[in-house]
Amino acid sequence: MAKTRSTGLLPILVVGAVVILFGPQLLDTVQDAVTDLGSAPAESYEVAPAIKPRTDKCTAEQLLKDRQCDDLKVVLLSAVKMPYITRNIQLAWSEGKPALLHKDAPGTDQTKRSTVCGTGVFTKTFADGSCDEYAFASSVEGGQWANVRTEEVPLREQNCQGGTLRQEYRRASIQQGDAFIVVITNPESIATSAYAGSDTAEDQSCTS
């Protein structure tokens, strides 16, 4: 017998009512609240080995719900939705790329991204592939070859990451100059091999 969720209609009604009453400018805030109400906390997570001694002092709730560990702010990325991007991050950590990132000024990311993923620098293999880079172009550490690892990922994941990062910066109140770390949720879903042209994510609902 198929299972149903009795709360499935409530988030839709809440979002619709807010847009009608208060306008679309509050939609992002309401969507964040609905997401927090309607989803269970991730049961597993992974951080960079270099930062683990610091995060071991914090609880899972602080990392996954509060998005704060002492003076470090936290960005969550789901391996269920982005198995290849989280693979690239995990491999970047193992290669010694920075675990501690700092938010750069708005508008600087496109130039830095073109440095490591631009035409003539990175060539994709698959029609729906895209260049992913860690450290992020939106971080101070991004765009510098010593700090960056690139790998081809599905374009859907790349779009998902862009929207997710914007949302995560907002949720954790990450402003220019703030230090933050990445926490990968459900790391058991990280892709075990390089992207081969098929989007294999368990959950492909994430959009920018």
Side-chain angles (χ1 to χ4, degrees):
M1 180 180 294
K3 297 181 179 179
T4 60
R5 296 180 60 184
S6 60
T7 59
L9 185 60
L10 181 59
I12 297 173
L13 294 176
V14 170
V15 171
V18 169
V19 172
I20 292 171
L21 293 174
F22 300 103
Q25 64 270 22
L26 294 182
L27 183 57
D28 282 348
T29 301
V30 173
Q31 285 176 326
D32 288 351
V34 168
T35 298
D36 289 340
L37 288 172
S39 59
E43 295 181 357
S44 58
Y45 62 91
E46 181 175 331
V47 300
I51 209 74
K52 193 173 185 298
R54 295 182 66 175
T55 59
D56 280 348
K57 301 175 184 178
C58 300
T59 66
E61 183 174 13
Q62 288 173 308
L63 289 168
L64 304 180
K65 184 178 179 182
D66 300 338
R67 289 176 171 77
Q68 184 84 27
C69 181
D70 292 334
D71 60 335
L72 294 178
K73 297 185 177 184
V74 173
V75 162
L76 301 183
L77 291 181
S78 168
V80 173
K81 296 186 176 184
M82 292 173 276
Y84 292 100
I85 281 178
T86 51
R87 163 190 157 84
N88 188 37
I89 293 172
Q90 185 185 60
L91 291 173
W93 287 342
S94 70
E95 294 172 7
K97 306 306 182 185
L100 182 64
L101 303 178
H102 298 80
K103 181 69 171 65
D104 207 350
T108 61
D109 52 329
Q110 287 302 320
T111 298
K112 287 188 292 182
R113 178 169 169 76
S114 67
T115 299
V116 296
C117 284
T119 303
V121 179
F122 184 93
T123 303
K124 66 180 184 178
T125 303
F126 304 98
D128 62 346
S130 179
C131 174
D132 178 63
E133 80 278 13
Y134 178 90
F136 309 133
S138 55
S139 71
V140 172
E141 292 74 16
Q144 304 173 49
W145 278 113
N147 298 333
V148 172
R149 183 183 196 277
T150 60
E151 186 163 292
E152 188 169 5
V153 302
L155 179 60
R156 180 204 60 81
E157 283 197 30
Q158 193 71 64
N159 291 336
C160 179
Q161 179 182 225
T164 299
L165 283 178
R166 288 191 295 272
Q167 187 178 62
E168 288 295 302
Y169 290 152
R170 185 176 65 252
R171 283 181 170 181
S173 298
I174 297 173
Q175 305 296 325
Q176 181 179 344
D178 286 349
F180 69 94
I181 60 171
V182 175
V183 173
I184 297 173
T185 60
N186 304 114
E188 63 277 3
S189 296
I190 294 174
T192 56
S193 57
Y195 177 56
S198 178
D199 188 344
T200 60
E202 299 169 44
D203 182 350
Q204 298 185 15
S205 65
C206 183
T207 57
S208 61

